[in-house]
C-alpha cells in the first residue's frame, strides 16, 4: 500500500544512540571473503576453444522486497497486466517460494548470470520477518543467490549498527540468538551505500561498489539510496550519517571504476519514478524514449555519466522497463520490478571482450511475473515453516479485548468503526506536546486490511485481540508523522476525498474524535464535502490557523490522492501505527471491560 512504509514496532526499536556506530568501522573488514569480487557462477561455461568477441550476461534484478517471505495478501499481492484488447487482468504474485523458483528457472542456460537488487530488501516487513529483525529475509536472500544490493531507506530503520549486523552476522544485541545453537551468519552478498558517509570521518559507511567477475567478464555495481533518506527515516536511524547527491556520487565512482579498467557498470539506485500505467507490461517508451515515466529517476538518469550502462531502480514500488537518454543523448535502460517479490527483471547485457564494455545498442530487458502457479522452492518452504513456529508465541500474545466485532475492511460505510479506533489511537499517542502535539488524526481507509473479529482465531478465546490479529489489521507498520497544516489545507484535504483522482471512487479518511462534518453524496466533486460544516471540537475550522495533524507517512507524503496532506511542515516522526494501535487496545480494554465498537457519528452522510 504505502510506497515508503517505515518500521519501528515494539520488538524492533531503533538501537540506542549510545550504541553509536561502533560496529560499523569493522563492516568492510568483516565482509565475506571475496564477496566484493565474485560471481555465483550460475550455469556452465562455453567450453574450450576460441572465445567469441561478445558474451551475453544475464542481469536478474528486483527491489523493495520488504521482508515479504510469504505471498503478500489481498491487493498488495497482485500485479496488473493490460491485454491487447484493453482489458486489465489482476495476477496474484510474489512469495519467496515462487521467487526462488522463478530466478532459478531463469538462470538455466545462462552461464553468465548475476542477480542484483535495488534496496529495501528489509524493513516494513510482515510479522514473520520483522519479528526477528529481518534475519529470515537475509537468510532467504542468501539461498536465492543474490550477488549484490544497494541499501534503501528502510535498511536504516534500526540504525547503522543494526545494518552492520545484517551484513556481518551475529546475534541481536538485545534479543540474542533466536534459534538454539544457531548464530545468525549475516548476508553473504554485499550491501552497497556509495552516497552514505560517516559525519565524523567523511568515510563511506559501506562499500560504494563491487566488481562481479566470471571468466574474464567484469561488471561493476555502484549502489546508492535516495539522498532524501533522512526525511523518511527516524532521526536515530540516520544518526551520525550524511547522505549525498545520487548523480554526483555515481559519477564519481564510475570514474574510479573506469580508471581501474572496469568499463561495464550498472547503477543500483533506491529511487524511482511513476509510469503512466500501473500495468507491469506498459510500454513507457511510447511514443518516445521514457515519455511514459515521470518522477525523480528521470532527472537522475539524465545526469548519470554515459560510463554507466544500465540503471536498476526502486523505492516507488512501480513496474517499468524504460529507456531514458543519458547525457550524450543515447538511450539507456532504466528498470524497476514493482515490490514484495511480485516481479523480477531479466536484462541481457552484451559484453564486448575487446573493450570490456557493454554494447548499449543491444541491451534488452523485460519484467516477468512471479506467478503462484509454479512449484514452490522446497528450501524456502522449510525456511518459512521454521520461522513461523518461532513466531507463534509472539503472534498469539494478547493485546486487548473487544466486546463484539469492530469492522474495518468489512465495512462499506464511509465511516468505519475500526477506522475510528485507529484514528483515536493515533491522536491519543501523539497528542502530548513531546510526542507531536497532535490535535486531529487521519487514517487512510485502504490501510485498514481486516476487521477485529470477536470470535477466537485460535486458542486465545473469544474477544481476545492477539498481536498477530492487530498486525493483520495494520501490516504496513508505517511510522506516524505529525505535521503543521493550515485550516485551508485541512479543508482542501477533506475535499480531495471526493474530487480529483478520488472523484470516481471516493477515499473517505477515517478521522479522530472531535472532527465532524457533513458528506453530501447528492452533490458532485469537492462540493460533496460541505465546507461550512467542518468543525474541530465544535469550532469551525479557521483557514488561517495552523493545526497539528497526525497521520501515517503514506498520507503525509500525499499518498492516495491527497496532495494537500503532503504539504505539511515542521514534521515530527513518531512511533509506528501498530505500536499506537496496540498501546490503545491495552489502555482501553480489559478482560472484564472489553472495548466496544465505537459510534460512527463523526461524518454525517446525506445520500
Amino acid at each position: 500500500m504505502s510506497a515508503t512504509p517505515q518500521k519501528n514496532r515494539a520488538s524492533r526499536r531503533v538501537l540506542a544512540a549510545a550504541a553509536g556506530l561502533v560496529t560499523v568501522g569493522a563492516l568492510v573488514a568483516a565482509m565475506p571473503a571475496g564477496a566484493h569480487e565474485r560471481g555465483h557462477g550460475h550455469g556452465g561455461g562455453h567450453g574450450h576453444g576460441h572465445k567469441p568477441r561478445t558474451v551475453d550476461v544475464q542481469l536478474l534484478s528486483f527491489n523493495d522486497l520488504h521482508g515479504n517471505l510469504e505471498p503478500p495478501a489481498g491487493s498488495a499481492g497482485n500485479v496488473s497486466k493490460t491485454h491487447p484488447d484493453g482489458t486489465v487482468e489482476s495476477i496474484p504474485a510474489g512469495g519467496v517460494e515462487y521467487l526462488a523458483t522463478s530466478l532459478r528457472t531463469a538462470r538455466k542456460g545462462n552461464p553468465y548470470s548475476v542477480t542484483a537488487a535495488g534496496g529495501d530488501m528489509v524493513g516494513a516487513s510482515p510479522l514473520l520477518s520483522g519479528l526477528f529483525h529481518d534475519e529470515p529475509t537475509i537468510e532467504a536472500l542468501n539461498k536465492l543467490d543474490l550477488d549484490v544490493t544497494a541499501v534503501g531507506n528502510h535498511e536504516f530503520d534500526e540504525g547503522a549498527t543494526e545494518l552492520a549486523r545484517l551484513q556481518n552476522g551475529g546475534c541481536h544485541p538485545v534479543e540474542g540468538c533466536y534459534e538454539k545453537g544457531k548464530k545468525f551468519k549475516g548476508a553473504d552478498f554485499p550491501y552497497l551505500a556509495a552516497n552514505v558517509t560517516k559525519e565524523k570521518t567523511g568515510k563511506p559507511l559501506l562499500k560504494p561498489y563491487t566488481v562481479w567477475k566470471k571468466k574474464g567478464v567484469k561488471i561493476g555495481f555502484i549502489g546508492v539510496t535516495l539522498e532524501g533518506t533522512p526525511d523518511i527515516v527516524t532521526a536515530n536511524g540516520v544518526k551520525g550519517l550524511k547522505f549525498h547527491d545520487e548523480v554526483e556520487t555515481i559519477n564519481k565512482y564510475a570514474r574510479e571504476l573506469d580508471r581501474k579498467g572496469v568499463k561495464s557498470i550498472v547503477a543500483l539506485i533506491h529511487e524511482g519514478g511513476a509510469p503512466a500505467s500501473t500495468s507491469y507490461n506498459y510500454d513507457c517508451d511510447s511514443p518516445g524514449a521514457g515519455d511514459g515515466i515521470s518522477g525523480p529517476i528521470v532527472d537522475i538518469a539524465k545526469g548519470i555519466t554515459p560510463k554507466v550502462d544500465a540503471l536498476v531502480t526502486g523505492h516507488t514500488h512501480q513496474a517499468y522497463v524504460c529507456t531514458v537518454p543519458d547525457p550524450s543523448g543515447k538511450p539507456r535502460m532504466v528498470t524497476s520490478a514493482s515490490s514484495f517479490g511480485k516481479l523480477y527483471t531479466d536484462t541481457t547485457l552484451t559484453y564486448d571482450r575487446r573493450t570490456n564494455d557493454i554494447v548499449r545498442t543491444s541491451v534488452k530487458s523485460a519484467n516477468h511475473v512471479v506467478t503462484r502457479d509454479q512449484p514452490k522452492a522446497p528450501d524456502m518452504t522449510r525456511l518459512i515453516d521454521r520461522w513461523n513456529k518461532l513466531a507463534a508465541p509472539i503472534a498469539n500474545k494478547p493485546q486487548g479485548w473487544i466486546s463484539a466485532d469492530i469492522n474495518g475492511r468489512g465495512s462499506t460505510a464511509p465511516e468505519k468503526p475500526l477506522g475510528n479506533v485507529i484514528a483515536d489511537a493515533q491522536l491519543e499517542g501523539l497528542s502530548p506536546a513531546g510526542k507531536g502535539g497532535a490535535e486531529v488524526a487521519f487514517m487512510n481507509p485502504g490501510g485498514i486490511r481486516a476487521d477485529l473479529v470477536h470470535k477466537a482465531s485460535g486458542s486465545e478465546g473469544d474477544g481476545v485481540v492477539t498481536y498477530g490479529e492487530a498486525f493483520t489489521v495494520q501490516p504496513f507498520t508505517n511510522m506516524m508523522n505529525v505535521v503543521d497544516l493550515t485550516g485551508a489545507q485541512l479543508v482542501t484535504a477533506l475535499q480531495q476525498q471526493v474530487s480529483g483522482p478520488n472523484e470516481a471512487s471516493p477515499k473517505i479518511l477515517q478521522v479522530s474524535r472531535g472532527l465532524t462534518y457533513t458528506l453530501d453524496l447528492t452533490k458532485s466533486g469537492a462540493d460533496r464535502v460541505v465546507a461550512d460544516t467542518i468543525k474541530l471540537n465544535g469550532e469551525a475550522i479557521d483557514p488561517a490557523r495552523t493545526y497539528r495533524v497526525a497521520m501515517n507517512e503514506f498520507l503525509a507524503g500525499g499518498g492516495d490522492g491527497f496532495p494537500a496532506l503532503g504539504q505539511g511542515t515542521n514534521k515530527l516522526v513518531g512511533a509506528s501505527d501498530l505500536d499506537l494501535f496496540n498501546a490503545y487496545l491495552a489502555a482501553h480494554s480489559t478482560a472484564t471491560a472489553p472495548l466496544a465498537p465505537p459510534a460512527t457519528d463523526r461524518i454525517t452522510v446525506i445520500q
Side-chain angles (χ1 to χ4, degrees):
M1 175 87 202
S2 168
T4 54
Q6 295 288 328
K7 162 102 51 194
N8 189 15
R9 69 175 62 109
S11 69
R12 295 192 43 141
R13 292 296 180 193
V14 173
L15 296 181
L21 305 177
V22 289
T23 65
V24 176
L27 189 57
V28 175
M31 289 279 292
H36 59 295
E37 291 192 347
R38 78 197 223 285
H40 280 297
H42 310 303
H46 276 309
H48 303 290
H50 178 68
K51 289 182 178 179
R53 162 110 185 227
T54 63
V55 59
D56 282 348
V57 177
Q58 178 190 54
L59 171 62
L60 300 176
S61 57
F62 58 97
N63 51 277
D64 295 276
L65 181 64
H66 289 290
N68 278 261
L69 301 180
E70 296 175 297
S75 58
N78 293 332
V79 294
S80 297
K81 178 180 182 179
T82 300
H83 292 280
D85 64 0
T87 58
V88 179
E89 178 186 4
S90 190
I91 306 170
V96 293
E97 293 161 300
Y98 304 113
L99 180 60
T101 298
S102 289
L103 294 177
R104 289 164 183 170
T105 301
R107 288 171 187 148
K108 288 176 182 173
N110 289 281
Y112 295 85
S113 183
V114 57
T115 304
D120 276 7
M121 294 296 96
V122 300
S125 305
L127 186 70
L128 177 61
S129 184
L131 197 59
F132 305 106
H133 296 267
D134 284 310
E135 289 182 21
T137 296
I138 298 298
E139 183 185 341
L141 292 171
N142 288 344
K143 290 179 183 292
L144 278 178
D145 282 339
L146 182 63
D147 286 292
V148 58
T149 184
V151 293
N153 52 290
H154 281 283
E155 266 80 20
F156 294 93
D157 283 351
E158 294 190 57
T161 305
E162 174 63 3
L163 174 56
R165 189 183 74 87
L166 290 180
Q167 178 75 82
N168 299 333
C171 297
H172 192 268
V174 176
E175 296 176 20
C177 299
Y178 293 112
E179 295 178 286
K180 193 174 181 180
K182 276 191 182 180
K183 182 183 175 185
F184 175 57
K185 294 178 180 177
D188 65 10
F189 51 89
Y191 263 111
L192 304 180
N195 65 331
V196 187
T197 57
K198 290 175 270 190
E199 283 181 347
K200 284 186 178 178
T201 64
K203 292 181 178 177
L205 172 69
L206 298 167
K207 289 176 63 63
Y209 59 79
T210 188
V211 180
W212 178 86
K213 295 179 179 180
K214 177 81 183 288
K215 295 184 178 176
V217 173
K218 295 187 294 186
I219 298 180
F221 288 88
I222 304 169
V224 298
T225 185
L226 69 154
E227 186 182 4
T229 291
D231 300 328
I232 50 176
V233 173
T234 59
N236 278 347
V238 294
K239 190 177 179 70
L241 303 177
K242 192 170 175 58
F243 292 76
H244 303 272
D245 181 84
E246 304 96 337
V247 174
E248 291 174 11
T249 302
I250 291 169
N251 289 351
K252 169 187 170 183
Y253 286 111
R255 289 192 297 271
E256 187 171 315
L257 282 166
D258 186 63
R259 285 196 300 270
K260 291 184 173 183
V262 179
K263 307 295 184 182
S264 299
I265 303 172
V266 175
L268 308 175
I269 308 171
H270 192 70
E271 178 61 289
S277 165
T278 55
S279 291
Y280 86 90
N281 60 333
Y282 168 67
D283 179 8
C284 60
D285 284 345
S286 178
D291 282 351
I293 187 171
S294 60
I297 199 61
V298 178
D299 286 339
I300 290 173
K302 288 177 178 176
I304 290 175
T305 172
K307 294 181 192 299
V308 174
D309 299 294
L311 278 56
V312 172
T313 73
H315 187 57
T316 57
H317 291 207
Q318 302 295 311
Y320 48 83
V321 173
C322 306
T323 54
V324 177
D326 69 14
S328 71
K330 293 178 182 174
R332 178 168 53 195
M333 197 62 73
V334 180
T335 67
S336 174
S338 184
S339 63
F340 303 165
K342 293 180 290 189
L343 297 176
Y344 71 93
T345 312
D346 190 336
T347 301
T348 300
L349 301 172
T350 300
Y351 184 91
D352 188 326
R353 291 181 184 274
R354 199 169 299 171
T355 64
N356 296 325
D357 206 351
I358 300 299
V359 184
R360 283 260 294 276
T361 53
S362 62
V363 175
K364 296 180 178 66
S365 189
N367 274 327
H368 301 279
V369 182
V370 177
T371 60
R372 299 182 196 168
D373 57 3
Q374 58 185 321
K376 295 180 179 181
D379 57 337
M380 294 300 177
T381 302
R382 289 192 295 271
L383 181 150
I384 288 170
D385 289 347
R386 206 178 86 237
W387 287 103
N388 263 330
K389 283 176 186 167
L390 287 171
I394 294 91
N396 297 333
K397 188 178 179 183
Q399 300 298 308
W401 291 262
I402 55 175
S403 64
D405 288 359
I406 304 181
N407 287 334
R409 195 73 173 178
S411 169
T412 57
E415 182 183 349
K416 308 172 192 307
L418 189 51
N420 287 357
V421 173
I422 291 169
D424 287 351
Q426 294 174 354
L427 179 63
E428 183 170 296
L430 299 172
S431 60
K435 302 285 188 180
E439 300 167 82
V440 63
F442 292 136
M443 175 66 191
N444 53 308
I448 307 168
R449 308 304 297 182
D451 303 331
L452 279 185
V453 180
H454 184 262
K455 184 177 175 59
S457 60
S459 59
E460 75 273 13
D462 290 349
V464 179
V465 179
T466 65
Y467 187 89
E469 288 167 340
F471 192 93
T472 301
V473 168
Q474 293 201 94
F476 304 114
T477 318
N478 276 302
M479 299 306 293
M480 291 299 299
N481 289 182
V482 186
V483 300
D484 284 349
L485 287 172
T486 65
Q489 289 169 325
L490 269 185
V491 171
T492 299
L494 291 173
Q495 290 172 331
Q496 286 169 349
Q497 300 175 112
V498 289
S499 62
N502 293 332
E503 180 160 5
S505 180
K507 291 189 176 77
I508 307 303
L509 295 167
Q510 308 300 287
V511 300
S512 56
R513 65 164 55 94
L515 187 75
T516 56
Y517 69 93
T518 296
L519 184 65
D520 188 347
L521 298 179
T522 66
K523 296 180 179 177
S524 61
D527 290 340
R528 286 185 276 191
V529 172
V530 185
D532 59 10
T533 66
I534 304 171
K535 294 181 180 180
L536 182 59
N537 300 320
E539 293 185 10
I541 295 290
D542 179 353
R545 198 198 130 189
T546 296
Y547 295 84
R548 292 292 283 166
V549 183
M551 58 193 132
N552 63 44
E553 60 167 356
F554 176 59
L555 282 177
D560 260 359
F562 291 98
L565 295 180
Q567 295 169 357
T569 58
N570 193 20
K571 178 173 73 174
L572 182 140
V573 179
S576 73
D577 50 10
L578 183 63
D579 283 349
L580 294 180
F581 186 48
N582 283 332
Y584 187 85
L585 290 171
H588 291 272
S589 68
T590 64
T592 54
L595 180 69
T600 50
D601 55 4
R602 301 170 191 182
I603 305 172
T604 301
V605 181
I606 300 173
Q607 299 281 8

